Amino acid sequence: MLSFGEKIKNLREDANLNQTELGTLVNMTQRKLSYIECGKCEPSLEDIIALCNYFKVSSDYLIGIKKGYKYPER
């Protein structure tokens, strides 16, 4: 399974964007985006939302929640 950073990198490359361009589009520095892609930094909730909105993907996909996962009964 791909990590969050690997998914972002793949989406970015598929969109033919470099880190600086994507950072500008989602209000993030190139350095932070680089750290997120290589796993040195965890994205904030605002970062996740901005990336989901830009790439039109769900947060479940980016953070790795599997489809059909059920929470335990309480």
Side-chain angles (χ1 to χ4, degrees), residues 2-60:
L2 295 175
S3 70
F4 181 93
E6 291 169 324
K7 290 175 186 175
I8 294 301
K9 183 177 181 179
N10 289 343
L11 289 167
R12 178 179 59 76
E13 289 176 345
D14 288 347
N16 294 314
L17 296 170
N18 63 40
Q19 290 175 338
T20 302
E21 292 167 333
L22 177 58
T24 299
L25 292 167
V26 296
N27 196 29
M28 190 183 308
T29 65
Q30 179 275 328
R31 176 176 276 179
K32 183 172 186 181
L33 189 54
S34 173
Y35 283 178
I36 288 171
E37 286 186 3
C38 70
K40 290 183 181 179
C41 173
E42 295 292 325
S44 69
L45 180 56
E46 291 81 15
D47 296 334
I48 294 170
I49 291 168
L51 291 163
C52 288
N53 286 336
Y54 181 77
F55 289 117
K56 300 193 181 348
V57 296
S58 72
S59 58
D60 288 355

